[in-house]
Amino acid sequence: MNAPSHEAEAGIQQVKLLIEGEWKASTTQEWRDVINPATQQVLARVPFATPEEVESAITAAQRAFPAWRKTPIGARMRIMLAFQALIRENLPRIAQTLSAEQGKTLADAEGDIFRGLEVVEHACSIGSLQMGEFAENVANEVDTYTLRQPIGVCAGITPFNFPAMIPLWMFPMAIVCGNTFVLKPSEQDPLSTMQLVELALEAGVPPGVLNVVHGGKDVVDALCTHSDIKAVSFVGSTAVGTHVYDLAGRHGKRVQAMMGAKNHAVVLPDANREQTLNALVGAAFGAAGQRCMATSVVVLVGKTREWLPELKERAARLKVNAGCEPGTDIGPLISKRARQRVLDLIESGIFEGATLLLDGRDVQVPGYEQGNFVGPTLFSSVTTNMRIYTEEIFGPVLLAIEVETLDEAIELVNRNPFGNGTGLFTQSGAAARKFQSEIDVGQVGINIPIPVPVPFFSFTGSRGSKLGDLGPYGKQVVQFYTQTKTVTARWFDDASVSEGVNTTITLR
Ligand code: NAD
């Protein structure tokens, strides 16, 4: 962390807070550089907001709530319609920023924004998504119906790896349901998130409905414990997600926490070899493996173990370079620290006896010598007690495990504590049906390597990858961001005959 910088002097942008519709310069003494991971160029400085600044963001959201919850649903929806159009229009510009601060390729940065844009598009259907239920005549002249009402101020805490998609999982659906919001973006790459927030204001989100504070643990803990925050959405690592879930839960909030992963792809001998190998390489090494749904373990069933040399060959062909360079397949890791952690884990794999088939540790990237690069790395002979298997690596490292049968593969995947995503590659409908039924993982791909559902479904990671029962986006998140009120009503008409006093609990 750095001393406060003087913007004019250093020529480096200071990221602002957004409080009650105004962009505020933080008065904090704690700042962190936002760094281009391919070049180490400082792109901006991000403040760690003071307790008073966090308090005023929550107060602004609380003040905006009564009027916003009464804003007609069509008016809220039309803001989302304007927002999605603005995102589409500005997508190439935001992708440039995202690629520069996060490292992923320009095409993948566009994909990051597009997957978030799809959630905003879905938010435009809020008219039908937020409908209640109605049952007529549940007793004499009695009807029962439900209202889906907003819950108040919600908070969102997001990770570095999808700085567009994940904030867009959260605040559009929360506010279109009539809530107000305080967003805490990743301090590692907040710039593209802030460009999206600017567009939300331009689309018509009123002052105080969306607020942004920056920072780390102190800011997150303040959001998790403040009495005016009613719900917390978190996406990030398992350690932090568990802390957020416990802390916010203890303070009476609804919490959803999407966390770390170890995603297995199971390959059966009847799978289409060409398509499967390409899918595995893309899903394991794309975004330098920094996706919660990246394939990190390939389970080779039977004679598909013979595919390993070809898998290695295809992985070795990937081009490692800065995300802005044409033809790049793998960009840098987010930070020097993240790179060192991945290198340490590779070392541990060698030490613990796995076979290093492809070694990405010494990759050279001319023109970007300072970048946080690790090339594609492939291990075989991996056992489930090795650190490379028990820990999430979050880098371009694929582990291969060989088994004899589909049953053995299912048993292996189900024994792993994480449950984010998994895939089966096969041409057998019967094998696919058995797999989808018996596998204990929340998101299953059949010949699809990264089965992230589109937004009219919900993100459904499970077991060690998730705390809380309702997932982001889709119908589940409408439930998460609303409270159901049940109304039981009797309207007497003049002809109704009074049946006298009823001292039982029965409705007549
Ligand atoms: P992280 O947990 O380090 O950070 C996430 C957020 O928590 C950030 O906003 C950060 O500022 C904050 N934070 C960090 N340390 C904290 C602490 N001690 N107390 C309170 N808040 C703290 O995660 P990351 O490195 O930014 O993201 C990568 C992780 O996110 C990986 O584990 C990945 O699998 C996971 N992830 C999961 C999903 C999913 O949907 N399951 C999606 C994307 C990423």
Side-chain angles (χ1 to χ4, degrees):
M1 232 165 283
N2 302 335
S5 58
H6 301 285
E7 191 164 7
E9 203 179 294
I12 290 172
Q13 175 201 350
Q14 288 188 0
V15 184
K16 300 285 193 291
L17 310 171
L18 176 64
I19 299 172
E20 210 150 21
E22 287 189 16
W23 299 103
K24 301 247 190 223
S26 176
T27 58
T28 185
Q29 296 301 303
E30 286 180 44
W31 294 80
R32 179 189 163 119
D33 291 341
V34 179
I35 293 169
N36 179 322
T39 61
Q40 309 306 324
Q41 182 199 350
V42 177
L43 302 173
R45 291 202 168 94
V46 64
F48 280 43
T50 64
E52 296 73 27
E53 288 164 346
V54 178
E55 183 67 36
S56 50
I58 298 171
T59 304
Q62 181 71 10
R63 264 207 297 264
F65 179 60
W68 180 242
R69 80 189 287 271
K70 289 196 175 147
T71 302
I73 205 158
R76 285 188 247 136
M77 184 197 72
R78 277 187 286 279
I79 292 175
M80 289 300 137
L81 275 170
F83 188 32
Q84 66 79 29
L86 284 169
I87 296 173
R88 204 175 283 281
E89 210 176 294
N90 288 276
L91 199 147
R93 172 177 70 89
I94 302 172
Q96 296 272 353
T97 304
L98 199 160
S99 172
E101 65 177 340
Q102 203 279 347
K104 61 180 74 174
T105 65
L106 271 173
D108 202 30
E110 290 189 0
D112 186 333
I113 302 162
F114 185 78
R115 298 285 331 233
L117 169 62
E118 290 182 306
V119 180
V120 183
E121 290 170 343
H122 193 231
C124 300
S125 321
I126 194 62
S128 48
L129 288 170
Q130 205 174 341
M131 276 182 184
E133 295 173 316
F134 186 97
E136 191 186 27
N137 239 19
V138 296
N140 284 329
E141 296 168 320
V142 177
D143 304 323
T144 298
Y145 50 96
T146 57
L147 310 177
R148 261 194 188 290
Q149 297 193 310
I151 49 182
V153 183
C154 304
I157 299 148
T158 59
F160 80 84
N161 65 329
F162 283 98
M165 179 182 80
I166 291 175
L168 292 177
W169 280 3
M170 297 180 183
F171 74 80
M173 288 306 284
I175 68 179
V176 84
C177 287
N179 301 290
T180 56
F181 206 82
V182 180
L183 176 67
K184 207 299 286 172
S186 170
E187 68 279 26
Q188 299 195 79
D189 50 10
L191 304 180
S192 42
T193 312
M194 295 310 278
Q195 289 177 341
L196 290 163
V197 168
E198 280 168 26
L199 296 182
L201 297 194
E202 195 180 329
V205 173
V209 170
L210 174 60
N211 305 274
V212 185
V213 288
H214 301 284
K217 180 174 170 48
D218 292 348
V219 172
V220 169
D221 287 0
L223 294 173
C224 291
T225 52
H226 198 289
S227 57
D228 286 344
I229 302 267
K230 302 297 176 216
V232 176
S233 298
F234 172 88
V235 178
S237 64
T238 299
V240 179
T242 307
H243 162 74
V244 164
Y245 187 82
D246 288 346
L247 186 64
R250 261 189 282 128
H251 286 80
K253 294 157 204 349
R254 288 183 184 188
V255 198
Q256 52 173 202
M258 309 301 127
M259 307 182 294
K262 203 77 176 175
N263 306 306
H264 298 64
V266 176
V267 185
L268 297 187
D270 69 353
N272 180 305
R273 184 174 176 132
E274 178 69 19
Q275 285 172 1
T276 302
L277 287 170
N278 286 339
L280 289 173
V281 170
F285 303 113
Q290 297 174 116
R291 291 181 181 135
C292 67
M293 289 286 281
T295 298
S296 41
V297 184
V298 57
V299 185
L300 298 166
V301 179
K303 62 183 174 30
T304 62
R305 63 169 56 96
E306 292 162 16
W307 299 10
L308 259 177
E310 206 175 332
L311 184 62
K312 168 187 165 176
E313 202 183 296
R314 286 178 198 223
R317 268 189 251 141
L318 294 175
K319 201 167 152 204
V320 182
N321 207 340
C324 61
E325 295 291 346
T328 301
D329 296 304
I330 303 183
L333 293 169
I334 186 70
S335 63
K336 285 196 175 301
R337 193 159 153 245
R339 177 174 180 273
Q340 193 52 52
R341 194 181 153 271
V342 170
L343 295 180
D344 290 347
L345 277 161
I346 296 173
E347 280 292 322
S348 82
I350 299 165
F351 179 74
E352 292 185 313
T355 306
L356 185 58
L357 292 179
L358 182 64
D359 184 355
R361 286 175 297 172
D362 288 327
V363 67
Q364 302 300 321
V365 181
Y368 295 95
E369 285 76 9
Q370 298 306 312
N372 311 324
F373 297 100
V374 175
T377 299
L378 177 62
F379 276 109
S380 65
S381 310
V382 174
T383 56
T384 55
N385 58 341
M386 294 176 179
R387 265 187 73 203
I388 47 172
Y389 184 80
T390 57
E391 290 183 29
E392 182 182 38
I393 300 177
F394 227 56
V397 182
L398 178 62
L399 317 180
I401 295 186
E402 296 160 21
V403 298
E404 292 308 322
T405 64
L406 175 59
D407 281 316
E408 238 183 286
I410 291 174
E411 203 261 325
L412 174 90
V413 177
N414 287 351
R415 239 187 307 132
N416 188 281
F418 292 110
N420 219 29
T422 188
L424 178 72
F425 291 85
T426 183
Q427 299 199 52
S428 158
R433 193 165 182 282
K434 175 186 169 70
F435 186 80
Q436 73 186 27
S437 167
E438 294 180 16
I439 206 76
D440 191 6
V441 173
Q443 297 171 119
V444 181
I446 309 290
N447 298 312
I448 298 280
I450 304 186
V452 176
V454 291
F456 20 99
F457 293 88
S458 299
F459 193 88
T460 52
S462 66
R463 295 198 284 131
S465 298
K466 178 186 185 185
L467 286 167
D469 55 351
L470 296 169
Y473 65 79
K475 289 181 191 146
Q476 289 190 14
V477 99
V478 177
Q479 279 180 269
F480 182 78
Y481 289 135
T482 58
Q483 180 155 291
T484 306
K485 187 182 279 176
T486 313
V487 182
T488 303
R490 169 177 279 154
W491 293 97
F492 302 102
D493 75 31
D494 288 348
S496 302
V497 180
S498 171
E499 293 181 354
V501 174
N502 175 14
T503 56
T504 73
I505 195 171
T506 323
L507 276 174
R508 289 199 292 234

